[in-house]
Amino acid sequence: MSGGRNGRDAIRAVGASGVPGVNGTVEILVEGEAVSGRAGQTIAGVLLGSGRVAWRGAQQGERGVFCGIGVCHDCLVTVNGVEGVRACQREAVAGDRIEREVRG
Ligand code: FES
């Protein structure tokens, strides 16, 4: 259900400024909670940096980053309403709204 390359084009069009915050930080909302990371980090990087190691529900248990290179899809999240975004491939943009996904 993602649009464009990993949903990136569609996601950038949904009001994200793309402008790094103070001191090169970027703040995103994870399940409604404000989480800060470094500008240029992937969403997975920001999530891991905040202490989250799993964020996607699956029959086999909770998933997070496995390959880290866009192959396994274990890290899928919904970003600004776009499902199926690989958190390890998508740069975090200020104001992104991240929601967990539950998939088989
Ligand atoms: S961790 Fe494998 S695709 Fe993101």
Side-chain angles (χ1 to χ4, degrees), residues 44 64-76 86-89:
V65 171
F66 180 68
C67 72
I69 58 172
V71 175
C72 73
H73 291 195
D74 271 5
C75 64
L76 297 180
R86 290 171 292 176
C88 71
Q89 298 296 294

Side-chain angles (χ1 to χ4, degrees), residues 30 35 43-57 61-68 72 74-77 87-88 100:
V30 180
V35 175
I43 291 169
V46 174
L47 292 172
L48 290 168
S50 72
R52 293 163 170 84
V53 295
W55 49 80
R56 185 174 73 82
E62 293 288 303
R63 296 289 195 240
V65 171
F66 180 68
C67 72
C72 73
D74 271 5
C75 64
L76 297 180
V77 289
C88 71
R100 59 180 278 118

Side-chain angles (χ1 to χ4, degrees), residues 14-37:
V14 183
S17 69
V19 177
V22 178
N23 298 326
T25 62
V26 62
E27 186 173 282
I28 62 176
L29 287 175
V30 180
E31 303 276 321
E33 178 184 342
V35 175
S36 291

Side-chain angles (χ1 to χ4, degrees), residues 1 9 38 52 75-76 90 98:
M1 295 253 235
D9 297 336
R38 292 183 182 172
R52 293 163 170 84
C75 64
L76 297 180
R90 168 56 161 77
I98 313 301

